[in-house]
Amino acid sequence: MDKKESCQGCEEKDDCKLIYKELGQREGPSVVYMVLTAFLLPIVVFIISLLLFENLLSEAIEIEGYRTGLSFFLALGVTSIAIFAVKLLIKFFGQSNKSGC
């Protein structure tokens, strides 16, 4: 169904245009840093910690499958801790900025 067909019989079609126009002109805070924190930071932390654990365990564990598995779970743990820490920081600093001081 075409947009024009669905709006022709509607009593509020002019109101819809006004609302969408106002929403398009609205400005708000940038969400770039939150998006980077939410999506890229965990991936970067996981990859770096996986590489570090793989290198650290290369001499201690000779069987590659065990070393890779243990490195994976250790990197997953580090990433989980990093995500939790970032959430706490955001919560702490987010509340202190909202207090109006």
Side-chain angles (χ1 to χ4, degrees):
M1 182 178 243
D2 191 14
K3 181 181 172 186
K4 291 181 181 180
E5 290 177 17
S6 64
C7 292
Q8 281 185 353
C10 181
E11 298 172 357
E12 299 175 359
K13 67 180 176 183
D14 294 326
D15 292 337
C16 289
K17 290 178 186 177
L18 179 65
I19 289 171
Y20 282 115
K21 183 178 179 182
E22 287 180 16
L23 285 174
Q25 294 174 348
R26 245 189 213 189
E27 292 188 28
S30 177
V31 295
V32 171
Y33 297 114
M34 294 302 283
V35 169
L36 291 176
T37 302
F39 294 108
L40 288 181
L41 184 66
I43 294 170
V44 170
V45 169
F46 179 77
I47 291 172
I48 290 172
S49 60
L50 183 64
L51 290 172
L52 287 174
F53 284 123
E54 209 36 60
N55 286 334
L56 289 174
L57 296 174
S58 64
E59 294 179 14
I61 300 174
E62 293 182 18
I63 302 172
E64 187 176 346
Y66 291 153
R67 182 176 61 236
T68 302
L70 184 59
S71 297
F72 174 79
F73 286 112
L74 289 172
L76 198 61
V78 168
T79 305
S80 299
I81 292 170
I83 290 170
F84 181 71
V86 168
K87 283 185 177 182
L88 283 178
L89 288 173
I90 290 171
K91 185 176 181 180
F92 176 73
F93 287 114
Q95 287 180 355
S96 66
N97 290 339
K98 291 180 184 176
S99 64
C101 296

